[in-house]
Amino acid sequence: MMRRSSNRKSSSASAAAGSTKAASKEFEKIDQLFNVYADKTSGTIDPEGIEQLCSSLEVDYTDVRILMLAWKMRAQRQGYFTLEEWRTGLKALRVDSISKLKKTLPELAKEVSRPSDFLDFYSYSFRYCLTEDKQKCVDIESACQLLSLVLGFQFGLQVDKFIEYLKNQSEYKVINMDQWMGFYRFCHEIPFPSLENYDSDLAWPLILDNFVEWFRENEK
């Protein structure tokens, strides 16, 4: 009886070791690629490493697909990728080389454009911009840049006008998550530029009531 148990344990340990080895092999090329761009001291891909990555991918540092890549990695800190995040993203994309990663960027953009994925990406992009501990808001200038980057290609007219309003008003210095998500809902639910079904008595963030009022005044 004891001998059988021992054999089972030995077999189980052997399987676990094999599984670990297989996992290690699976990430070997992904890890090697990470090390090309990672800072040797910090062990992370920092802003300089991301610039080098962008150069290898032949995309601009401000390309929205780099933000999509960060979303796929579930990166927590803006401008930095940890090894664990890198593994998460590249495994999900099923790539282990720059050439494969370059080829998959258009597919990643298609994935993000699906409504359910885009909503997650849109909210993630706001959280990704919260660079300080306990920070809950993004300054107006950064919010405008982010809106243009993540929503401009879908709702160009609304985004352009909202950015114009934000840059010309003095009441708001920052944007919070509720306002950020509210504007996405506004773009989906309110016809533009007629705004015919906008009702300020409904649960819209106050900033959107003010935006609609400003827009209507300027359209007269």
Side-chain angles (χ1 to χ4, degrees):
M1 294 279 295
M2 289 296 290
R3 212 172 285 128
R4 277 184 202 158
S5 174
S6 174
N7 285 343
R8 275 202 300 271
K9 281 181 183 174
S10 171
S11 166
S12 172
S14 192
S19 173
T20 304
K21 194 172 180 182
S24 172
K25 192 77 177 168
E26 179 188 13
F27 287 120
E28 194 175 322
K29 288 176 108 178
I30 289 175
D31 291 3
Q32 284 172 359
L33 190 59
F34 177 84
N35 291 329
V36 171
Y37 302 100
D39 177 76
K40 302 298 180 284
T41 307
S42 67
T44 62
I45 297 179
D46 60 14
E48 189 178 329
I50 291 180
E51 279 200 40
Q52 291 171 354
L53 175 63
C54 290
S55 178
S56 299
L57 292 171
E58 298 177 338
V59 298
D60 193 78
Y61 189 75
T62 57
D63 193 302
V64 70
R65 289 171 298 179
I66 298 303
L67 184 56
M68 291 173 180
L69 192 56
W71 167 74
K72 200 69 180 173
M73 293 183 193
R74 307 315 291 177
Q76 295 296 305
R77 188 179 170 204
Q78 189 178 29
Y80 294 84
F81 297 150
T82 67
L83 176 58
E84 216 44 58
E85 290 166 350
W86 180 262
R87 283 176 164 184
T88 297
L90 268 64
K91 187 181 178 187
L93 291 168
R94 296 177 185 165
V95 299
D96 57 13
S97 69
I98 281 297
S99 58
K100 289 177 185 174
L101 186 54
K102 194 188 292 186
K103 283 177 186 171
T104 203
L105 287 180
E107 292 304 313
L108 179 56
K110 276 185 193 173
E111 179 185 343
V112 171
S113 69
R114 291 199 293 262
S116 58
D117 285 317
F118 186 80
L119 186 61
D120 186 60
F121 169 69
Y122 182 76
S123 62
Y124 168 83
S125 67
F126 184 88
R127 293 192 304 275
Y128 190 59
C129 279
L130 302 175
T131 53
E132 304 295 329
D133 285 345
K134 298 182 181 177
Q135 183 183 345
K136 292 186 177 178
C137 300
V138 173
D139 66 89
I140 291 294
E141 186 181 347
S142 298
C144 289
Q145 290 172 352
L146 193 59
L147 276 171
S148 183
L149 184 67
V150 303
L151 207 55
F153 66 96
Q154 273 195 55
F155 298 102
L157 290 174
Q158 293 95 315
V159 168
D160 287 348
K161 278 297 173 185
F162 191 49
I163 287 175
E164 186 184 338
Y165 162 72
L166 290 174
K167 288 184 173 178
N168 282 284
Q169 56 81 40
S170 55
E171 189 175 350
Y172 300 95
K173 304 294 182 192
V174 295
I175 295 288
N176 62 33
M177 178 64 100
D178 183 54
Q179 294 163 336
W180 177 259
M181 297 308 294
F183 183 65
Y184 177 74
R185 197 180 120 226
F186 172 89
C187 289
H188 271 275
E189 295 181 13
I190 307 301
F192 197 85
S194 70
L195 307 177
E196 58 195 32
N197 64 344
Y198 187 85
D199 184 351
S200 58
D201 290 333
L202 297 179
W204 293 105
L206 183 59
I207 195 171
L208 291 175
D209 292 346
N210 294 340
F211 165 59
V212 168
E213 188 179 332
W214 170 86
F215 180 77
R216 283 172 172 161
E217 282 296 318
N218 279 270
E219 289 298 293
K220 283 180 182 176

